[in-house]
Amino acid sequence: MDINGLAAVVTGAASGLGEATARALAAGGAIVAILDRNEEGAKAVADDLGAVGIGCDVANSASMEAAIQAAADAHGPARILVNCAGIGPAARVVGRDGPMDLQKFAQVININLIGTFNTLRLAAAAMEDLDALETGERGIIINTASVAAFEGQIGQAAYSASKGGVHAMTIPVARELARFGIRVLTIAP
């Protein structure tokens, strides 16, 4: 896929891997929307790239619907989605203060796994309606798992579970969306 001139959405793009991805896409000629819960950071990166910065919560349906729509309003429906939003706080299952707080576990699952799926489903729905490119493609979705999906360390139960879930959904989602010309893959840095 030649990304020059194509609309792209990157989550978690105010810093880290998401920011580096957004910068690489912009350098390749893509028109990038920088999405992050850190709206100020998203807008700062966007200003630097001549892009659009949007504050949002990947785990919140209404927030992501609004963010995907704002990105589409700014530069058309995205043909590229890269899900980089994620958190990785370390906590032992049973630590010095007793069992891990279940809300901390749920928060990691909500952002890393449910947030990835939430963004994926919304972007895919918009991509389905696009005309196919000359190559037959309508879009590409790249999710971010982690080596921790396969071999997590002590304190990474929540993170590993969330990234394992991202990995596990890749093949069924890729199979489902292939008929629309939407490629789905997951990287595991």
Side-chain angles (χ1 to χ4, degrees):
M1 174 183 282
D2 179 4
I3 67 170
N4 189 44
L6 297 184
V9 168
V10 182
T11 67
S15 63
L17 179 64
E19 180 183 352
T21 299
R23 289 184 182 283
L25 287 168
I31 305 162
V32 184
I34 311 296
L35 276 59
D36 203 287
R37 67 181 177 177
N38 174 359
E39 186 171 6
E40 185 177 310
K43 289 183 177 188
V45 172
D47 287 346
D48 193 40
L49 296 177
V52 61
I54 302 166
C56 60
D57 176 357
V58 294
N60 180 287
S61 182
S63 178
M64 282 314 297
E65 287 174 20
I68 295 291
Q69 186 60 55
D73 290 346
H75 55 61
R79 289 192 182 267
I80 302 164
L81 167 65
V82 185
N83 277 309
C84 293
I87 61 171
R92 291 179 180 258
V93 175
V94 180
R96 290 183 190 129
D97 298 327
M100 180 181 184
D101 180 348
L102 187 57
Q103 287 307 111
K104 288 182 180 177
F105 186 92
Q107 181 187 31
V108 174
I109 298 297
N110 279 332
I111 292 171
N112 296 2
L113 177 57
I114 294 172
T116 295
F117 180 78
N118 188 29
T119 307
L120 175 155
R121 74 184 180 92
L122 296 169
M127 287 178 191
E128 279 184 21
D129 293 333
L130 298 174
D131 291 334
L133 299 171
E134 290 179 9
T135 59
E137 297 172 280
R138 284 191 172 82
I140 183 168
I141 297 169
I142 302 169
N143 299 317
T144 304
S146 167
V147 69
F150 313 103
E151 189 169 333
Q153 302 299 312
I154 292 171
Q156 287 188 320
Y159 185 74
S160 292
S162 71
K163 295 303 186 171
V166 170
H167 169 72
M169 74 177 171
T170 302
I171 293 296
V173 173
R175 287 177 176 149
E176 180 179 338
L177 297 180
R179 68 186 173 126
F180 301 109
I182 301 169
R183 289 183 294 138
V184 179
L185 59 103
T186 296
I187 59 171

